[in-house]
Amino acid sequence: MEQLTKRMKQAFSECGYEEKYGIVSVSNRPDLCQYQCNGAMAAAKQYKLAPIEIARKIEANCCNSPMFAKCEAVMPGFINITLASEFLCGQLGVMAEEEKLGVTLDNPQTVVIDYGGPNVAKPLHVGHLRSAIIGESVKRMKRFMGNQVIGDIHLGDWGLQMGLVIEELRDRQPDLVYFKEDYMGEYPGEPPFTLGELEEIYPAASAKSKEDEEFKERAHQAVVRIQKSDPAFTALWQHIMSVSLPDLRKNYDNLDVHFDVWKGESDAKPYIAEMIDDLAGRGIAYESQGALVVDIAQEDDTKELPPCIVRKSDGAAIYATSDLATILDREKLYHPDQYIYLADKRQELHFIQVFRTARKAGYVAPETKIDYIGFGTMNGRDGKPFKTRDGGVMRLEYLMKEVEDAVYARIQENRTMDEEQARATAKVVGLAAIKYGDLSNQASKDYIFDVERFASFEGNTGPYILYTMVRIKSILAKYREQSGKEPDYAAFREPAGSEYSCGTDETQLMLLASRFADTVEKAAAELAPHKICQYIYELSNAFNSFYHENRILVEEDTAKQARWIALIALVLRILGVCTELLGFEAPERM
Ligand code: ARG
């Protein structure tokens, strides 16, 4: 697209028009042409000419270029472009030689991505799935584009749940030393509960707090004590952390989601006192009903935005406090060029408040970008937030197991693998089913989690993409076996003579392959993994049509066969990079 636009701009300028009219886009009439330029329509207004007159001049300027098989003006003034197959093929040759397949890297920047965000001591549930999946993909894209990326899990590690667990523990085991007010000794190194117990304590405590006001108030006080570094409660807090974290790690490993930094809300603590003094001292924050707040409303707001509360009336730090102080930590450690936060879109107001306060206080420079990816809800087939059959919160492990089983059933239909291999394959494919099912939707939209559909080997699904990759791998393996040769990208440079004809499945596949760099650059810039999904779905469809129309392995014209093999090897590489960016991979067989 870049090259086409460059050539069109040259044409406009050589014909005496401003080059800005030379923008080329993918054709919305693929039956007529591959690309189009609508600049003559706009230029006609400026130069007070008929659009077709301008378009014809551009045609005359371009029609002999070796880039184009066709560059023609059509009424009322569109310019339809079809590439010369030799040119397209040459492009693929260039692309194939490059490690990053022709991607123009970003001006390297430091990017902090805040994603995952599980709450310690609560089981990891599907609500956190989206953050992990989308965040991981955005991280991989930014990194692929040459940026220095720091992915931080930002644990919810000193919220109310910690207080609830501690007070529930007190009710169950009042004799523990942590609850003896006059105790002065060391606290035990061993936690007073197991992971299994902890998983049971939290839901019990949470239920109790809904009925028992006194209990809830105690939990709040417990949080304040943790925040004030009370030794007994800090010791308990550490136990909760040490029991929960290994389990969290295991869960994220299973998702193939990896954080560079395992910090949490509590790591903001050292910054808070000074930050509060600073905000109050400079008059940025003021007292309101006992709390300390910052006005963030702006004149052009379409709805009224409440102030950001940076400290509650009882002196407790809250969500916004820790998010602001975390920014101070990140500025100190990384001074990022860009922040990217992932959280449920219902948290949008919170993030607007935090970001505006950070800017108002000058904690974040005006040129630093701050992005918030607010994602929608994952719903069940009934259109309501995803739940277990008995109405509880679905735990991630069970969800993954369910998808894995569905994939396993599909694999067993083909019955070409032994049990162990089928299970291992189902794991890899199941993960792809979940991730692709999520990422193929625009993040901000709600979507329906449908195990049967996501696990299907046909249609716009992860397994379909992987099936396509496995099919290409198998053709290439057979080719190696029968010819004793490796795929050779030099085939893209062989003169093809009259072999090509435009509009064939081969051209369509080449065309889509050539759009890899455009797609990835755009998806990374817009933080939009769904654009990669869309692209690989089209590419897979194009490959499968090509495969059904041509008998690659028995093709007698060896030059043609070599070109086809190079083409599908390149397509496999593209799919490999794209799935890697989405966060999953293909098995050897399916
Ligand atoms: N722990 C939060 C939750 O479960 C998500 C954290 C999002 N990140 C942030 N910096 N606030 O809702």
Side-chain angles (χ1 to χ4, degrees):
M1 209 97 75
E2 237 170 75
Q3 292 190 52
L4 294 176
T5 294
K6 195 166 154 222
R7 180 63 188 86
M8 270 302 127
K9 283 185 167 173
Q10 179 196 336
F12 272 89
S13 135
E14 284 173 4
C15 294
Y17 309 115
E18 277 190 61
E19 66 162 34
K20 67 173 187 205
Y21 294 114
I23 305 287
V24 173
S25 56
V26 171
S27 163
N28 51 24
R29 286 290 305 274
D31 52 323
L32 297 179
C33 56
Q34 298 165 343
Y35 292 91
Q36 64 189 49
C37 170
N38 302 341
M41 308 292 282
K45 295 199 184 80
Q46 181 180 340
Y47 298 102
K48 305 210 167 24
L49 292 167
I52 191 69
E53 201 176 310
I54 298 177
R56 289 215 172 98
K57 279 203 193 155
I58 302 299
E59 174 183 329
N61 179 289
C62 286
C63 62
N64 289 324
S65 157
M67 287 169 91
F68 305 123
K70 198 174 76 182
C71 173
E72 68 183 356
V74 297
M75 285 300 276
F78 298 114
I79 302 160
N80 289 353
I81 299 168
T82 294
L83 302 182
S85 297
E86 287 78 2
F87 169 73
L88 186 51
C89 212
Q91 284 298 302
L92 297 185
V94 173
M95 181 178 158
E97 297 305 328
E98 292 181 20
E99 190 209 325
K100 299 223 161 163
L101 299 170
V103 164
T104 314
L105 296 186
D106 287 345
N107 212 338
Q109 298 207 311
T110 304
V111 183
V112 169
I113 306 190
D114 178 317
Y115 72 112
N119 298 320
V120 176
K122 296 192 194 180
L124 199 57
H125 64 78
V126 297
H128 290 110
L129 186 64
R130 298 211 71 192
S131 177
I133 291 177
I134 304 167
E136 179 73 13
S137 175
V138 169
K139 182 190 78 181
R140 291 178 185 212
M141 292 196 294
K142 283 285 174 195
R143 196 164 278 165
F144 183 78
M145 295 303 294
N147 299 287
Q148 208 229 317
V149 187
I150 300 127
D152 184 354
I153 186 168
H154 199 69
L155 299 165
D157 61 359
W158 65 344
L160 183 59
Q161 83 273 21
M162 297 301 225
L164 288 169
V165 169
I166 290 178
E167 288 306 319
E168 177 65 19
L169 199 65
R170 182 205 295 276
D171 289 357
R172 292 179 183 202
Q173 302 183 54
D175 296 334
L176 288 175
V177 289
Y178 309 92
F179 303 120
K180 296 211 174 7
E181 296 302 330
D182 49 1
Y183 183 75
M184 300 296 279
E186 292 265 305
Y187 291 102
E190 281 302 302
F193 41 71
T194 63
L195 178 63
E197 284 159 0
L198 188 58
E199 287 181 340
E200 187 263 320
I201 291 176
Y202 172 72
S206 162
K208 194 193 276 185
S209 74
K210 294 199 176 93
E211 264 141 37
D212 185 343
E213 269 305 315
E214 182 265 342
F215 178 73
K216 191 171 175 184
E217 182 46 36
R218 271 200 279 143
H220 274 295
Q221 288 314 315
V223 176
V224 175
R225 278 178 70 176
I226 297 172
Q227 292 184 355
K228 293 200 171 128
S229 304
D230 171 277
F233 280 25
T234 303
L236 274 177
W237 177 85
Q238 261 153 1
H239 288 316
I240 300 175
M241 294 294 278
S242 69
V243 169
S244 299
L245 289 195
D247 184 52
L248 275 176
R249 271 183 211 277
K250 190 190 77 197
N251 273 292
Y252 284 110
D253 277 346
N254 284 338
L255 276 176
D256 206 352
V257 166
H258 309 280
F259 302 96
D260 307 295
V261 175
W262 280 70
K263 286 200 163 185
E265 293 177 7
S266 69
D267 286 288
K269 186 156 85 183
Y271 298 87
I272 291 178
E274 208 177 311
M275 179 183 86
I276 296 289
D277 285 349
D278 175 53
L279 291 173
R282 287 193 287 146
I284 294 164
Y286 62 92
E287 291 263 344
S288 168
Q289 294 164 5
L292 199 63
V293 306
V294 176
D295 282 332
I296 51 111
Q298 289 172 0
E299 258 170 38
D300 52 355
D301 289 341
T302 49
K303 56 177 186 255
E304 202 178 319
L305 298 181
C308 179
I309 303 176
V310 294
R311 195 193 60 209
K312 279 204 312 183
S313 49
D314 62 2
I318 53 170
Y319 197 31
T321 323
S322 64
D323 261 326
L324 275 168
T326 300
I327 288 180
L328 293 177
D329 187 42
R330 290 172 177 164
E331 283 295 322
K332 183 167 139 200
L333 295 178
Y334 317 115
H335 187 52
D337 301 291
Q338 184 177 17
Y339 288 90
I340 302 172
Y341 289 81
L342 280 102
D344 189 305
K345 71 180 172 197
R346 284 169 292 192
Q347 296 191 18
E348 186 177 9
L349 174 61
H350 162 76
F351 283 102
I352 294 176
Q353 290 172 322
V354 168
F355 298 160
R356 286 194 185 175
T357 302
R359 293 220 191 263
K360 193 167 175 178
Y363 295 159
V364 173
E367 64 275 13
T368 305
K369 277 208 274 186
I370 312 182
D371 282 292
Y372 163 59
I373 304 179
F375 48 82
T377 310
M378 176 172 141
N379 289 323
R381 276 153 89 165
D382 56 1
K384 301 204 188 93
F386 199 90
K387 293 267 159 74
T388 52
R389 276 188 202 102
D390 56 15
V393 182
M394 175 69 122
R395 296 196 36 172
L396 196 55
E397 295 130 88
Y398 301 148
L399 177 105
M400 289 175 77
K401 182 82 174 66
E402 203 170 315
V403 176
E404 229 173 275
D405 287 345
V407 171
Y408 176 79
R410 296 273 143 67
I411 294 174
Q412 290 305 69
E413 285 164 20
N414 300 344
R415 265 280 65 161
T416 52
M417 278 184 214
D418 61 41
E419 174 68 17
E420 198 185 332
Q421 201 185 8
R423 276 286 161 200
T425 305
K427 221 182 171 74
V428 174
V429 179
L431 184 60
I434 294 178
K435 288 192 167 183
Y436 190 93
D438 189 311
L439 293 170
S440 54
N441 302 286
Q442 203 176 317
S444 61
K445 299 229 166 88
D446 296 347
Y447 74 95
I448 291 185
F449 190 90
D450 181 339
V451 177
E452 286 309 309
R453 191 172 80 72
F454 287 6
S456 168
F457 285 17
E458 279 144 46
N460 190 6
T461 70
Y464 170 67
I465 306 291
L466 299 188
Y467 197 76
T468 305
M469 293 172 73
V470 167
R471 180 175 263 170
I472 301 178
K473 285 188 192 185
S474 126
I475 301 171
L476 292 177
K478 287 194 189 118
Y479 173 77
R480 286 190 183 98
E481 199 179 285
Q482 75 179 35
S483 71
K485 285 191 281 194
E486 284 297 310
D488 185 359
Y489 295 127
F492 287 129
R493 292 193 300 269
E494 302 295 321
S498 56
E499 284 302 343
Y500 299 114
S501 51
C502 296
T504 61
D505 291 308
E506 182 185 3
T507 328
Q508 185 55 24
L509 185 58
M510 292 201 294
L511 199 57
L512 280 168
S514 76
R515 286 181 192 157
F516 166 79
D518 284 333
T519 308
V520 169
E521 287 165 18
K522 198 167 173 166
E526 295 176 7
L527 314 178
H530 73 277
K531 299 214 158 153
I532 294 188
C533 293
Q534 227 164 45
Y535 170 69
I536 57 177
Y537 180 50
E538 277 181 57
L539 185 65
S540 297
N541 283 339
F543 166 79
N544 285 308
S545 314
F546 170 73
Y547 170 78
H548 286 297
E549 284 309 308
N550 299 290
R551 307 193 54 203
I552 304 171
L553 289 169
V554 296
E555 174 58 46
E556 282 170 9
D557 177 339
T558 49
K560 193 187 217 172
Q561 188 188 48
R563 195 176 73 225
W564 284 353
I565 290 291
L567 177 58
I568 67 170
L570 178 62
V571 169
L572 179 62
R573 250 173 87 196
I574 293 174
L575 291 173
V577 173
C578 288
T579 49
E580 168 79 36
L581 293 178
L582 295 174
F584 56 88
E585 56 190 26
E588 278 315 303
R589 298 173 51 207
M590 253 170 99

